[in-house]
Coordinates of all heavy atoms in Angstrom, one line a residue:
M1 N 0.8 -1.2 0.0 CA 0.0 0.0 0.0 C 0.9 1.2 0.0 O 1.9 1.3 0.7 CB -1.0 0.0 1.2 CG -0.6 0.8 2.4 SD -1.7 0.8 3.8 CE -2.1 -0.9 4.0
Q2 N 0.5 2.2 -0.8 CA 1.2 3.5 -0.8 C 0.8 4.4 0.4 O -0.4 4.5 0.7 CB 0.9 4.2 -2.1 CG 1.7 5.5 -2.3 CD 1.3 6.3 -3.5 OE1 0.2 6.5 -3.8 NE2 2.3 6.6 -4.3
V3 N 1.8 5.0 1.0 CA 1.6 5.8 2.1 C 2.2 7.2 1.9 O 3.4 7.4 1.9 CB 2.2 5.3 3.4 CG1 1.9 6.2 4.6 CG2 1.8 3.8 3.7
P4 N 1.3 8.2 1.6 CA 1.8 9.6 1.4 C 1.5 10.3 2.7 O 0.4 10.1 3.3 CB 1.0 10.1 0.3 CG -0.3 9.4 0.3 CD 0.0 8.0 1.0
F5 N 2.4 11.2 3.2 CA 2.0 12.1 4.3 C 2.9 13.3 4.2 O 3.9 13.3 3.5 CB 2.2 11.3 5.7 CG 3.6 11.1 6.2 CD1 4.1 12.0 7.1 CD2 4.3 10.1 5.7 CE1 5.4 11.8 7.6 CE2 5.6 9.9 6.2 CZ 6.2 10.8 7.1
K6 N 2.5 14.3 5.0 CA 3.3 15.6 5.0 C 3.7 15.9 6.4 O 3.0 15.5 7.4 CB 2.4 16.7 4.4 CG 2.1 16.5 3.0 CD 1.2 17.6 2.4 CE 0.8 17.3 1.0 NZ -0.1 18.2 0.5
F7 N 4.8 16.7 6.5 CA 5.2 17.3 7.8 C 5.8 18.6 7.5 O 6.1 18.9 6.3 CB 6.2 16.4 8.5 CG 7.5 16.3 7.9 CD1 8.5 17.1 8.3 CD2 7.8 15.3 7.0 CE1 9.8 17.1 7.7 CE2 9.1 15.2 6.4 CZ 10.1 16.1 6.8
G8 N 5.9 19.5 8.5 CA 6.4 20.8 8.3 C 7.5 21.1 9.3 O 7.5 20.7 10.5
L9 N 8.5 21.9 8.9 CA 9.5 22.4 9.7 C 9.3 23.9 9.9 O 8.7 24.5 9.1 CB 10.9 22.2 9.1 CG 11.4 20.7 8.9 CD1 12.8 20.7 8.2 CD2 11.4 20.0 10.2
E10 N 9.9 24.4 11.0 CA 9.8 25.8 11.3 C 10.4 26.6 10.2 O 11.4 26.2 9.6 CB 10.5 26.1 12.6 CG 9.8 25.6 13.8 CD 10.5 25.9 15.1 OE1 11.7 26.2 15.1 OE2 9.9 25.8 16.1
Y11 N 9.9 27.8 10.0 CA 10.5 28.7 9.0 C 11.9 29.2 9.3 O 12.7 29.5 8.5 CB 9.6 30.0 8.8 CG 8.7 29.9 7.6 CD1 7.4 29.4 7.7 CD2 9.2 30.2 6.3 CE1 6.6 29.3 6.6 CE2 8.4 30.0 5.2 CZ 7.1 29.6 5.3 OH 6.3 29.5 4.2
A12 N 12.3 29.1 10.6 CA 13.7 29.4 11.0 C 14.7 28.4 10.6 O 15.9 28.6 10.9 CB 13.7 29.7 12.5
T13 N 14.3 27.3 10.0 CA 15.2 26.2 9.6 C 16.2 26.7 8.6 O 15.8 27.2 7.5 CB 14.4 25.0 9.1 OG1 13.4 24.6 10.0 CG2 15.3 23.9 8.7
P14 N 17.5 26.6 8.9 CA 18.5 27.0 7.9 C 18.4 26.1 6.6 O 18.1 24.9 6.7 CB 19.8 26.8 8.6 CG 19.5 26.6 10.0 CD 18.1 26.1 10.1
P15 N 18.8 26.6 5.4 CA 18.7 25.9 4.2 C 19.4 24.5 4.2 O 18.9 23.5 3.7 CB 19.3 26.8 3.2 CG 19.1 28.2 3.7 CD 19.2 28.0 5.2
E16 N 20.6 24.5 4.9 CA 21.3 23.2 4.9 C 20.6 22.1 5.7 O 20.7 20.9 5.5 CB 22.7 23.4 5.4 CG 22.9 23.9 6.8 CD 22.8 25.4 7.0 OE1 22.5 26.1 6.0 OE2 23.0 25.9 8.1
K17 N 19.8 22.6 6.7 CA 19.0 21.6 7.5 C 17.8 21.0 6.7 O 17.3 20.0 7.0 CB 18.5 22.3 8.8 CG 19.6 22.7 9.7 CD 20.0 21.6 10.6 CE 21.0 22.2 11.7 NZ 21.2 21.3 12.8
I18 N 17.4 21.7 5.7 CA 16.3 21.2 4.8 C 16.8 19.9 4.2 O 16.1 18.9 4.1 CB 15.9 22.3 3.8 CG1 15.1 23.4 4.5 CG2 15.0 21.6 2.7 CD1 14.9 24.6 3.6
D19 N 18.0 19.9 3.6 CA 18.6 18.7 3.0 C 18.8 17.7 4.0 O 18.6 16.5 3.8 CB 19.9 19.1 2.3 CG 19.7 20.0 1.1 OD1 18.6 20.0 0.5 OD2 20.7 20.7 0.8
L20 N 19.2 18.0 5.3 CA 19.4 17.1 6.3 C 18.1 16.4 6.7 O 18.0 15.2 6.9 CB 20.0 17.7 7.6 CG 20.2 16.8 8.8 CD1 21.1 15.7 8.5 CD2 20.7 17.7 10.0
A21 N 17.0 17.1 6.8 CA 15.7 16.5 7.1 C 15.3 15.5 6.0 O 14.8 14.4 6.3 CB 14.6 17.6 7.2
Q22 N 15.5 15.8 4.8 CA 15.2 14.9 3.7 C 16.1 13.6 3.8 O 15.5 12.5 3.7 CB 15.5 15.6 2.4 CG 15.1 14.9 1.1 CD 15.5 15.7 -0.1 OE1 16.3 16.5 -0.2 NE2 14.7 15.5 -1.2
T23 N 17.3 13.8 4.1 CA 18.2 12.6 4.3 C 17.8 11.8 5.4 O 17.8 10.5 5.3 CB 19.7 13.1 4.4 OG1 20.1 13.8 3.3 CG2 20.6 12.0 4.7
L24 N 17.5 12.4 6.6 CA 17.1 11.6 7.8 C 15.9 10.8 7.5 O 15.8 9.6 7.9 CB 16.9 12.6 8.9 CG 18.1 13.2 9.5 CD1 17.7 14.3 10.5 CD2 19.1 12.2 10.1
V25 N 14.8 11.4 6.9 CA 13.6 10.6 6.6 C 13.9 9.5 5.7 O 13.4 8.3 5.9 CB 12.5 11.5 6.1 CG1 11.3 10.7 5.6 CG2 12.1 12.6 7.1
K26 N 14.7 9.7 4.7 CA 15.0 8.6 3.7 C 15.8 7.5 4.4 O 15.5 6.3 4.2 CB 15.9 9.2 2.6 CG 16.3 8.1 1.5 CD 17.1 8.7 0.4 CE 17.5 7.6 -0.6 NZ 18.3 8.1 -1.6
E27 N 16.8 7.8 5.3 CA 17.5 6.8 6.0 C 16.6 6.0 6.9 O 16.8 4.8 7.0 CB 18.7 7.5 6.7 CG 19.8 8.0 5.9 CD 20.9 8.8 6.6 OE1 20.7 9.0 7.8 OE2 21.9 9.1 6.0
I28 N 15.7 6.7 7.6 CA 14.8 6.0 8.5 C 14.0 5.0 7.7 O 13.9 3.8 8.1 CB 14.0 7.0 9.3 CG1 14.8 7.8 10.3 CG2 12.9 6.2 10.1 CD1 14.1 9.0 10.9
L29 N 13.4 5.5 6.6 CA 12.5 4.6 5.9 C 13.3 3.4 5.3 O 12.8 2.3 5.2 CB 11.8 5.4 4.7 CG 10.6 6.1 5.2 CD1 10.2 7.1 4.2 CD2 9.5 5.2 5.6
E30 N 14.5 3.7 4.8 CA 15.3 2.6 4.2 C 15.8 1.6 5.3 O 16.1 0.4 4.9 CB 16.5 3.1 3.4 CG 16.0 3.8 2.1 CD 17.1 4.4 1.3 OE1 18.2 4.7 1.9 OE2 16.9 4.7 0.1
S31 N 15.7 1.9 6.5 CA 16.1 1.0 7.6 C 15.0 0.1 8.1 O 15.2 -0.8 8.8 CB 16.7 1.8 8.8 OG 15.7 2.4 9.5
L32 N 13.8 0.4 7.7 CA 12.6 -0.3 8.2 C 12.3 -1.5 7.3 O 12.3 -1.4 6.0 CB 11.4 0.6 8.2 CG 11.4 1.8 9.2 CD1 10.2 2.7 9.0 CD2 11.5 1.3 10.6
E33 N 12.0 -2.6 7.9 CA 11.6 -3.8 7.1 C 10.2 -3.7 6.6 O 9.4 -3.1 7.3 CB 11.7 -5.1 8.1 CG 13.1 -5.6 8.2 CD 13.1 -7.0 8.9 OE1 12.3 -7.8 8.6 OE2 13.9 -7.1 9.8
G34 N 10.0 -4.3 5.5 CA 8.6 -4.3 4.9 C 8.2 -3.0 4.2 O 7.1 -2.7 4.0
V35 N 9.3 -2.1 3.9 CA 9.0 -0.8 3.4 C 9.8 -0.6 2.1 O 11.0 -1.0 2.1 CB 9.4 0.3 4.4 CG1 9.4 1.7 3.8 CG2 8.5 0.2 5.6
R36 N 9.3 0.1 1.1 CA 10.0 0.5 0.0 C 9.9 2.0 -0.1 O 8.8 2.6 -0.2 CB 9.5 -0.1 -1.3 CG 10.4 0.2 -2.5 CD 9.9 -0.4 -3.8 NE 8.8 0.5 -4.4 CZ 7.7 0.1 -4.8 NH1 7.3 -1.2 -4.7 NH2 6.8 1.0 -5.3
F37 N 11.0 2.7 0.1 CA 11.1 4.1 0.0 C 10.8 4.6 -1.4 O 11.2 4.0 -2.4 CB 12.5 4.6 0.4 CG 12.7 6.1 0.2 CD1 12.2 7.0 1.0 CD2 13.5 6.5 -0.9 CE1 12.4 8.4 0.8 CE2 13.7 7.9 -1.1 CZ 13.1 8.8 -0.2
D38 N 10.0 5.7 -1.5 CA 9.7 6.3 -2.8 C 10.3 7.7 -2.9 O 11.2 7.9 -3.7 CB 8.2 6.4 -3.0 CG 7.8 6.8 -4.4 OD1 8.6 7.3 -5.2 OD2 6.6 6.6 -4.8
R39 N 9.9 8.6 -2.0 CA 10.4 9.9 -2.2 C 10.2 10.8 -0.9 O 9.3 10.5 -0.1 CB 9.9 10.6 -3.4 CG 8.4 10.9 -3.3 CD 7.9 11.5 -4.6 NE 6.4 11.7 -4.6 CZ 5.5 10.9 -4.9 NH1 5.9 9.6 -5.3 NH2 4.2 11.2 -4.9
V40 N 11.0 11.8 -0.7 CA 10.7 12.8 0.3 C 11.2 14.1 -0.3 O 12.4 14.2 -0.8 CB 11.4 12.5 1.6 CG1 12.9 12.3 1.5 CG2 11.1 13.7 2.6
H41 N 10.3 15.1 -0.4 CA 10.7 16.4 -1.0 C 10.1 17.6 -0.2 O 9.1 17.5 0.4 CB 10.1 16.5 -2.4 CG 10.8 15.6 -3.4 ND1 10.2 14.4 -3.8 CD2 11.9 15.7 -4.0 CE1 11.0 13.8 -4.7 NE2 12.1 14.6 -4.8
F42 N 10.9 18.7 -0.2 CA 10.4 20.0 0.3 C 9.5 20.5 -0.8 O 10.0 20.8 -1.9 CB 11.7 20.9 0.5 CG 11.4 22.3 0.9 CD1 10.3 22.6 1.7 CD2 12.2 23.3 0.4 CE1 10.1 23.9 2.1 CE2 12.0 24.6 0.8 CZ 11.0 24.9 1.6
I43 N 8.2 20.6 -0.5 CA 7.3 20.9 -1.6 C 6.6 22.3 -1.5 O 5.9 22.7 -2.5 CB 6.2 19.8 -1.7 CG1 5.4 19.7 -0.4 CG2 6.8 18.5 -2.1 CD1 4.1 19.0 -0.5
N44 N 6.6 22.9 -0.3 CA 5.8 24.1 -0.3 C 6.2 25.1 0.9 O 6.7 24.6 1.9 CB 4.3 23.7 0.0 CG 3.3 24.9 -0.2 OD1 3.6 25.8 -0.9 ND2 2.2 24.7 0.4
L45 N 6.1 26.4 0.6 CA 6.2 27.4 1.7 C 4.8 27.6 2.2 O 4.0 28.5 1.7 CB 6.8 28.7 1.1 CG 8.2 28.5 0.5 CD1 8.6 29.8 -0.3 CD2 9.2 28.2 1.5
A46 N 4.4 26.8 3.1 CA 3.0 26.9 3.7 C 2.8 28.0 4.6 O 3.8 28.7 4.9 CB 2.7 25.5 4.3
D47 N 1.6 28.2 5.1 CA 1.3 29.4 6.0 C 2.2 29.4 7.2 O 2.7 30.4 7.6 CB -0.1 29.3 6.4 CG -1.1 29.7 5.3 OD1 -0.6 30.3 4.3 OD2 -2.3 29.4 5.5
S48 N 2.4 28.2 7.8 CA 3.2 28.2 9.1 C 4.3 27.2 9.1 O 4.9 26.9 10.1 CB 2.2 27.8 10.2 OG 1.2 28.7 10.4
S49 N 4.7 26.7 7.9 CA 5.8 25.8 7.9 C 6.4 25.6 6.5 O 5.9 26.0 5.5 CB 5.3 24.4 8.3 OG 4.4 23.9 7.3
L50 N 7.6 25.1 6.6 CA 8.3 24.6 5.4 C 7.8 23.2 5.2 O 8.1 22.3 6.0 CB 9.8 24.6 5.5 CG 10.4 25.9 5.9 CD1 11.9 25.8 6.2 CD2 10.2 27.0 4.9
E51 N 7.0 22.9 4.2 CA 6.2 21.7 4.1 C 7.0 20.6 3.2 O 7.5 20.9 2.1 CB 4.9 22.0 3.5 CG 3.9 20.8 3.5 CD 2.5 21.2 3.0 OE1 2.4 21.7 1.9 OE2 1.6 21.0 3.8
F52 N 7.0 19.4 3.7 CA 7.6 18.3 3.1 C 6.5 17.2 2.8 O 5.6 17.1 3.5 CB 8.6 17.6 4.0 CG 9.9 18.4 4.1 CD1 9.9 19.5 4.9 CD2 11.1 18.0 3.5 CE1 11.1 20.2 5.1 CE2 12.2 18.7 3.7 CZ 12.2 19.8 4.5
E53 N 6.7 16.5 1.7 CA 5.9 15.4 1.3 C 6.7 14.1 1.3 O 7.8 14.1 0.7 CB 5.2 15.6 0.0 CG 4.3 14.4 -0.4 CD 3.7 14.5 -1.8 OE1 4.5 14.7 -2.8 OE2 2.5 14.5 -1.9
V54 N 6.2 13.1 2.0 CA 6.9 11.8 2.0 C 6.0 10.8 1.4 O 4.8 10.8 1.6 CB 7.2 11.4 3.5 CG1 7.9 10.1 3.5 CG2 8.0 12.5 4.2
V55 N 6.6 9.9 0.6 CA 5.8 8.8 0.1 C 6.6 7.5 0.2 O 7.8 7.5 -0.1 CB 5.4 9.0 -1.4 CG1 4.7 7.8 -2.0 CG2 4.6 10.2 -1.6
Y56 N 6.0 6.5 0.8 CA 6.7 5.2 0.8 C 5.6 4.1 0.6 O 4.4 4.4 0.7 CB 7.4 5.0 2.2 CG 6.6 4.9 3.4 CD1 6.2 3.7 4.0 CD2 6.2 6.1 4.1 CE1 5.4 3.7 5.1 CE2 5.4 6.1 5.2 CZ 5.0 4.8 5.7 OH 4.3 4.8 6.9
W57 N 6.1 2.9 0.4 CA 5.2 1.7 0.2 C 5.4 0.7 1.3 O 6.5 0.4 1.7 CB 5.5 1.0 -1.1 CG 5.2 1.8 -2.3 CD1 5.9 2.8 -2.9 CD2 4.0 1.8 -3.1 NE1 5.3 3.4 -4.0 CE2 4.1 2.7 -4.1 CE3 2.8 1.0 -3.0 CZ2 3.1 2.9 -5.0 CZ3 1.8 1.2 -3.9 CH2 1.9 2.2 -4.9
V58 N 4.3 0.3 1.9 CA 4.3 -0.8 2.9 C 4.0 -2.1 2.0 O 3.1 -2.1 1.3 CB 3.2 -0.6 4.0 CG1 3.1 -1.9 4.8 CG2 3.5 0.6 4.8
L59 N 4.9 -3.0 2.2 CA 4.8 -4.3 1.4 C 3.9 -5.3 2.0 O 4.2 -6.5 1.9 CB 6.3 -4.8 1.2 CG 7.3 -3.8 0.6 CD1 8.6 -4.4 0.5 CD2 6.8 -3.2 -0.7
S60 N 2.8 -4.9 2.6 CA 1.8 -5.7 3.1 C 0.5 -5.0 3.0 O 0.5 -3.7 3.0 CB 2.1 -6.0 4.6 OG 1.0 -6.6 5.2
S61 N -0.6 -5.7 2.9 CA -1.9 -5.1 2.8 C -2.6 -5.0 4.2 O -3.7 -4.5 4.3 CB -2.8 -5.8 1.8 OG -2.9 -7.2 2.2
E62 N -1.9 -5.5 5.2 CA -2.5 -5.5 6.6 C -2.3 -4.2 7.2 O -1.3 -3.6 7.3 CB -1.8 -6.6 7.4 CG -2.1 -8.0 7.0 CD -1.5 -9.0 7.9 OE1 -1.6 -8.9 9.1 OE2 -0.9 -10.0 7.4
Y63 N -3.5 -3.7 7.7 CA -3.5 -2.3 8.3 C -2.6 -2.2 9.5 O -1.9 -1.3 9.7 CB -4.9 -1.9 8.7 CG -4.9 -0.5 9.3 CD1 -5.0 0.6 8.5 CD2 -4.9 -0.4 10.7 CE1 -5.0 1.8 9.0 CE2 -4.9 0.9 11.2 CZ -4.9 2.0 10.4 OH -4.9 3.3 10.9
N64 N -2.6 -3.3 10.4 CA -1.7 -3.2 11.6 C -0.3 -3.2 11.2 O 0.5 -2.6 12.0 CB -2.0 -4.4 12.5 CG -3.3 -4.2 13.2 OD1 -3.9 -3.1 13.3 ND2 -3.9 -5.3 13.8
V65 N 0.1 -3.8 10.1 CA 1.5 -3.7 9.7 C 1.9 -2.3 9.3 O 2.9 -1.7 9.7 CB 1.8 -4.7 8.5 CG1 3.2 -4.4 7.9 CG2 1.7 -6.1 9.0
Y66 N 1.0 -1.6 8.5 CA 1.2 -0.2 8.2 C 1.2 0.6 9.4 O 2.1 1.5 9.5 CB 0.0 0.3 7.3 CG -0.3 1.7 7.5 CD1 0.5 2.7 7.0 CD2 -1.4 2.1 8.2 CE1 0.3 4.0 7.2 CE2 -1.7 3.4 8.4 CZ -0.8 4.4 7.9 OH -1.1 5.7 8.2
A67 N 0.3 0.5 10.3 CA 0.2 1.3 11.5 C 1.5 1.2 12.4 O 2.0 2.2 12.9 CB -1.0 1.0 12.4
D68 N 2.0 0.0 12.5 CA 3.2 -0.3 13.3 C 4.4 0.4 12.6 O 5.3 1.1 13.2 CB 3.5 -1.7 13.4 CG 2.6 -2.4 14.4 OD1 1.9 -1.8 15.2 OD2 2.5 -3.7 14.4
I69 N 4.5 0.3 11.3 CA 5.6 0.9 10.5 C 5.5 2.4 10.6 O 6.5 3.1 10.9 CB 5.6 0.5 9.1 CG1 6.1 -1.0 9.0 CG2 6.4 1.4 8.2 CD1 5.8 -1.6 7.6
H70 N 4.3 3.0 10.5 CA 4.2 4.5 10.5 C 4.5 5.0 11.9 O 5.1 6.0 12.0 CB 2.8 4.9 10.0 CG 2.7 6.3 9.6 ND1 3.4 6.8 8.4 CD2 2.1 7.4 10.1 CE1 3.1 8.1 8.3 NE2 2.4 8.4 9.3
H71 N 4.0 4.3 12.9 CA 4.3 4.6 14.3 C 5.8 4.7 14.5 O 6.4 5.7 15.1 CB 3.7 3.6 15.2 CG 4.1 3.7 16.6 ND1 3.4 4.4 17.6 CD2 5.2 3.2 17.3 CE1 4.0 4.3 18.7 NE2 5.1 3.6 18.6
T72 N 6.6 3.7 14.1 CA 8.0 3.6 14.2 C 8.7 4.8 13.4 O 9.6 5.4 14.0 CB 8.5 2.3 13.7 OG1 7.9 1.2 14.5 CG2 10.1 2.2 13.9
L73 N 8.2 5.0 12.2 CA 8.8 6.1 11.4 C 8.7 7.4 12.1 O 9.6 8.2 12.3 CB 8.1 6.2 10.1 CG 8.3 7.4 9.2 CD1 9.8 7.6 8.8 CD2 7.4 7.4 8.0
L74 N 7.5 7.7 12.6 CA 7.2 9.0 13.2 C 8.1 9.2 14.5 O 8.7 10.2 14.8 CB 5.7 9.2 13.5 CG 4.8 9.3 12.3 CD1 3.4 9.4 12.7 CD2 5.2 10.5 11.4
K75 N 8.1 8.1 15.3 CA 8.9 8.1 16.5 C 10.4 8.4 16.3 O 11.0 9.2 16.9 CB 8.7 6.8 17.3 CG 9.2 6.8 18.7 CD 8.7 5.6 19.5 CE 9.5 4.4 19.1 NZ 9.2 3.2 19.9
R76 N 10.9 7.7 15.2 CA 12.3 7.8 14.9 C 12.6 9.2 14.3 O 13.6 9.8 14.5 CB 12.7 6.8 13.9 CG 12.8 5.4 14.6 CD 13.4 4.4 13.6 NE 13.4 3.0 14.2 CZ 13.8 1.9 13.6 NH1 14.2 2.0 12.4 NH2 13.7 0.8 14.2
M77 N 11.6 9.8 13.5 CA 11.8 11.1 13.0 C 11.9 12.1 14.2 O 12.7 13.0 14.1 CB 10.6 11.5 12.1 CG 10.6 10.9 10.7 SD 9.1 11.3 9.7 CE 9.3 13.1 9.6
I78 N 11.0 12.0 15.2 CA 11.1 12.9 16.3 C 12.4 12.8 17.0 O 13.0 13.9 17.2 CB 9.9 12.6 17.3 CG1 8.6 13.0 16.7 CG2 10.2 13.3 18.7 CD1 7.4 12.4 17.5
G79 N 13.0 11.7 17.2 CA 14.3 11.5 17.8 C 15.4 12.1 17.0 O 16.3 12.8 17.4
A80 N 15.4 11.7 15.7 CA 16.5 12.1 14.8 C 16.4 13.6 14.6 O 17.5 14.3 14.5 CB 16.3 11.4 13.4
F81 N 15.2 14.2 14.4 CA 15.1 15.6 14.2 C 15.6 16.4 15.5 O 16.4 17.4 15.4 CB 13.7 16.0 13.9 CG 13.3 15.8 12.4 CD1 14.0 14.8 11.7 CD2 12.3 16.5 11.8 CE1 13.6 14.5 10.4 CE2 11.9 16.2 10.5 CZ 12.6 15.3 9.8
A82 N 15.2 15.9 16.7 CA 15.6 16.6 17.9 C 17.2 16.5 18.0 O 17.8 17.5 18.4 CB 15.0 15.9 19.1
A83 N 17.7 15.4 17.7 CA 19.2 15.2 17.8 C 20.0 16.1 16.8 O 21.2 16.3 17.1 CB 19.5 13.7 17.6
N84 N 19.3 16.5 15.8 CA 20.0 17.3 14.8 C 19.5 18.7 14.7 O 19.7 19.4 13.7 CB 19.8 16.6 13.4 CG 20.6 15.4 13.3 OD1 21.8 15.5 13.0 ND2 20.1 14.2 13.5
G85 N 18.8 19.2 15.7 CA 18.4 20.6 15.8 C 17.3 21.0 14.8 O 17.2 22.2 14.4
L86 N 16.5 20.0 14.4 CA 15.3 20.3 13.5 C 14.1 20.4 14.4 O 13.9 19.5 15.2 CB 15.2 19.2 12.5 CG 16.3 19.2 11.4 CD1 16.3 17.8 10.7 CD2 16.2 20.3 10.5
A87 N 13.2 21.4 14.1 CA 12.0 21.5 14.9 C 10.8 21.5 14.0 O 10.7 22.1 13.0 CB 12.0 22.9 15.7
F88 N 9.8 20.6 14.4 CA 8.6 20.6 13.6 C 7.8 21.9 13.8 O 7.8 22.5 14.9 CB 7.7 19.4 14.1 CG 8.2 18.0 13.8 CD1 8.9 17.3 14.7 CD2 8.1 17.5 12.5 CE1 9.4 16.0 14.4 CE2 8.6 16.3 12.1 CZ 9.2 15.5 13.1
A89 N 7.1 22.3 12.8 CA 6.3 23.5 12.9 C 5.0 23.2 13.4 O 4.5 22.1 13.4 CB 6.2 24.1 11.5
F90 N 4.4 24.2 14.0 CA 3.0 24.2 14.4 C 2.4 25.5 14.0 O 3.1 26.5 13.8 CB 2.8 23.9 15.9 CG 3.6 24.9 16.8 CD1 3.1 26.1 17.2 CD2 4.9 24.6 17.1 CE1 3.8 26.9 18.0 CE2 5.7 25.4 17.9 CZ 5.1 26.6 18.3
P91 N 1.1 25.5 13.8 CA 0.4 26.7 13.3 C 0.8 28.0 14.2 O 0.6 28.0 15.4 CB -1.1 26.4 13.4 CG -1.1 25.0 13.3 CD 0.1 24.5 14.1
T92 N 1.3 29.0 13.5 CA 1.6 30.3 14.1 C 1.2 31.4 13.2 O 1.0 31.2 12.0 CB 3.1 30.4 14.4 OG1 3.8 30.3 13.2 CG2 3.6 29.4 15.4
R93 N 1.0 32.5 13.8 CA 0.6 33.7 13.0 C 1.3 34.9 13.6 O 1.2 35.1 14.9 CB -0.9 33.9 13.0 CG -1.4 35.0 12.3 CD -2.1 34.8 11.0 NE -2.8 33.6 10.8 CZ -2.9 33.0 9.6 NH1 -2.2 33.5 8.6 NH2 -3.5 31.9 9.5
T94 N 1.9 35.7 12.8 CA 2.5 36.9 13.3 C 1.6 38.1 13.0 O 1.2 38.2 11.8 CB 3.9 37.2 12.7 OG1 4.8 36.1 13.0 CG2 4.6 38.5 13.1
I95 N 1.3 38.9 13.9 CA 0.4 40.0 13.7 C 1.2 41.3 13.9 O 1.8 41.5 15.0 CB -0.8 40.0 14.7 CG1 -1.6 38.7 14.4 CG2 -1.7 41.2 14.5 CD1 -2.7 38.5 15.4
V96 N 1.2 42.2 12.9 CA 1.9 43.4 13.0 C 0.8 44.5 13.2 O -0.1 44.6 12.5 CB 2.6 43.7 11.7 CG1 3.3 45.1 11.8 CG2 3.7 42.6 11.4
V97 N 1.0 45.2 14.3 CA 0.0 46.3 14.7 C 0.6 47.6 14.4 O 1.7 48.0 14.9 CB -0.4 46.2 16.2 CG1 -1.4 47.3 16.5 CG2 -1.0 44.8 16.5
A98 N 0.0 48.3 13.5 CA 0.5 49.6 13.1 C 0.0 50.7 14.1 O -1.1 50.7 14.6 CB 0.0 50.0 11.7
K99 N 0.9 51.6 14.5 CA 0.6 52.7 15.4 C 0.0 53.8 14.6 O 0.4 54.1 13.5 CB 1.9 53.2 16.1 CG 2.5 52.2 17.1 CD 3.6 52.8 17.8 CE 4.2 51.8 18.8 NZ 5.3 52.4 19.5
E100 N -1.0 54.4 15.2 CA -1.6 55.5 14.6 C -0.7 56.7 14.7 O 0.0 56.9 15.7 CB -3.0 55.8 15.2 CG -4.0 54.8 14.9 CD -5.4 55.2 15.4 OE1 -5.7 56.4 15.3 OE2 -6.1 54.3 15.9
P101 N -0.7 57.6 13.7 CA 0.2 58.8 13.7 C -0.2 59.8 14.8 O -1.2 59.9 15.3 CB 0.1 59.4 12.3 CG -1.0 58.7 11.7 CD -1.4 57.5 12.5

């Protein structure tokens, strides 16, 4: 089964860390059994994040196999990103208030 999902990094992420995030996700997926890596790309400058799209294949049609693999992937991403100074984005909004003259 094909598994597409997205995640976002903070806008303060330096450009060289964008490539690192891509590499880390690829390495994690390639280390998992029962998975075929397809792609990971920086795809969008979203409202509150630098958005990435990940696609991989689970080589089983059983939902529990997929759920276990995805659980492991996300958990390893959290650890690898934290260890490498990468922060996941969450919705934020900056409001600029103009002073009246």
